[in-house]
Amino acid sequence: MPIHSLSDLKKDDNRGSRQSGMAEALSQQPVDGEKLSAEGPHGLYHEKQIGSLCAVHAMNNLVQGPYFNEISLAEVAHGIDAQERVAMGGGWLEGQASGNVREDGFFSVQVIQAALTHQGLSCTPIGAESARAALNDPCAEKGFILNRSEHWFALRRLGNFWFDLNSMQPIPKLLSDTYLSLFLEQNRAQGYSIFVVRGNFPAADIEARPKELQKAVDACRAHYSSGGQSAGADASSSAPSFNAFKGQAHTMQKAPEIDPSLLAAAAEDPELAAAIAASLSTIPPKTAETDAEEMRRRRLARFG
């Protein structure tokens, strides 16, 4: 397995935009995890951002509880460092910084995968052969972790509902089944790293209380329909500068830019979302212009 260290991530990041995903997220939706409770609407678990601990938040939000912390992840990171030293034949300078954890609490891909493995969960890049079914039927999965530049966040199905549990948001966002497909297709087209998480998830308390889960769904829907950021805004953000796993198997050919207002409308219109998702999943390189024109036509038909 190739080593993807923090230095690798930094090299990739330097090739892209000047503003990191973390900084952009902070500028779009500032939250303070030290002041805000990890309890979301009606018992939905949702840690908010503290420093650069997005990996910790993403993993805990994914498993719906405080199963991970920066100390346990740092121990995993140092264990991976030791393995890398052996793999390099001891070619590691004394005092050299860890390649898997930074002082500010940012962790590498390997740390997240190893820590989830300890909990009985696998974390596989969505372009891998074993994970391709997740692209065809993402609603059959239970959770995803995504990375944009230096920011990790999780998507999780609870009961029959999907939630975007990004720690940079004040409360989770509800994603319809159709919009989940669109969300993943668009973000993958833009170069996001997407990982499907499978295995024995810890029991989520809110799933045992369907009435409370429905109240949580209603609260999340009400928040964003009454002035909160729309569910389509994230998917329309500028292309990220980082892909944690290199190689063509983990990227998709460039998709046409989708108008933010169209994405916002798709979040409330299953048929429109399905049409966009279908066009993104089937577009060949030579028809990008045609698909862009088709989506402009749909937008004109909807908005006049």
Side-chain angles (χ1 to χ4, degrees):
M1 175 179 172
I3 294 173
H4 303 280
S5 67
L6 294 178
S7 60
D8 292 330
L9 309 191
K10 186 62 176 174
K11 288 175 185 175
D12 284 346
D13 204 33
N14 287 340
R15 294 191 189 110
S17 63
R18 297 177 183 176
Q19 187 178 33
S20 73
M22 178 71 73
E24 185 173 341
L26 283 166
S27 67
Q28 290 178 350
Q29 190 78 298
V31 294
D32 187 346
E34 293 184 344
K35 295 180 179 178
L36 297 174
S37 169
E39 184 174 347
H42 298 277
L44 190 63
Y45 191 84
H46 181 222
E47 291 184 6
K48 285 77 172 178
Q49 192 69 25
I50 297 176
S52 296
L53 297 177
C54 54
V56 176
H57 303 318
M59 296 167 70
N60 284 336
N61 289 341
L62 177 76
V63 298
Q64 285 293 285
Y67 290 84
F68 305 96
N69 58 54
E70 60 271 32
I71 296 174
S72 63
L73 292 192
E75 291 175 352
V76 173
H78 294 317
I80 296 175
D81 288 341
Q83 295 173 11
E84 292 177 357
R85 283 196 293 272
V86 172
M88 295 170 63
W92 191 286
L93 298 176
E94 189 67 30
Q96 182 176 342
S98 169
N100 293 287
V101 58
R102 286 199 314 238
E103 291 184 359
D104 63 0
F106 180 81
F107 295 93
S108 71
V109 176
Q110 286 94 329
V111 173
I112 293 174
Q113 290 178 312
L116 287 172
T117 298
H118 294 164
Q119 286 289 330
L121 299 167
S122 65
C123 181
T124 309
I126 205 167
E129 185 67 32
S130 62
R132 287 183 182 173
L135 283 176
N136 298 326
D137 188 13
C139 294
E141 304 297 335
K142 200 155 189 179
F144 296 90
I145 286 183
L146 291 81
N147 181 285
R148 184 183 192 280
S149 190
E150 294 189 350
H151 184 60
W152 297 97
F153 65 100
L155 307 179
R156 173 68 193 271
R157 175 168 60 83
L158 295 165
N160 295 321
F161 304 100
W162 277 93
F163 295 90
D164 173 358
L165 297 162
N166 196 325
S167 57
M168 301 309 303
Q169 299 165 172
I171 72 170
K173 291 178 182 176
L174 184 67
L175 301 178
S176 68
D177 287 356
T178 305
Y179 191 75
L180 172 68
S181 298
L182 173 60
F183 186 89
L184 293 174
E185 287 286 357
Q186 176 67 1
N187 281 288
R188 185 169 181 256
Q190 290 180 332
Y192 282 52
S193 295
I194 303 176
F195 305 85
V196 59
V197 181
R198 294 168 172 164
N200 297 318
F201 281 78
D205 181 60
I206 196 169
E207 286 192 298
R209 298 179 293 126
K211 290 184 179 179
E212 291 304 303
L213 177 58
Q214 184 60 57
K215 289 179 181 178
V217 167
D218 294 340
C220 292
R221 183 182 288 123
H223 174 83
Y224 290 106
S225 65
S226 64
Q229 186 181 5
S230 69
D234 284 344
S236 65
S237 58
S238 60
S241 57
F242 162 76
N243 193 329
F245 277 79
K246 304 181 183 73
Q248 306 234 343
H250 308 297
T251 60
M252 193 171 81
Q253 61 211 13
K254 185 170 178 58
E257 288 296 321
I258 301 178
D259 191 295
S261 60
L262 186 62
L263 279 171
E268 303 297 330
D269 186 336
E271 290 186 4
L272 181 61
I276 298 174
S279 70
L280 285 172
S281 63
T282 60
I283 176 174
K286 293 183 179 180
T287 63
E289 268 184 35
T290 304
D291 281 341
E293 191 63 38
E294 173 65 11
M295 279 184 278
R296 281 194 290 271
R297 185 187 66 76
R298 289 178 183 277
R299 181 172 182 270
L300 288 173
R302 182 176 178 84
F303 298 105

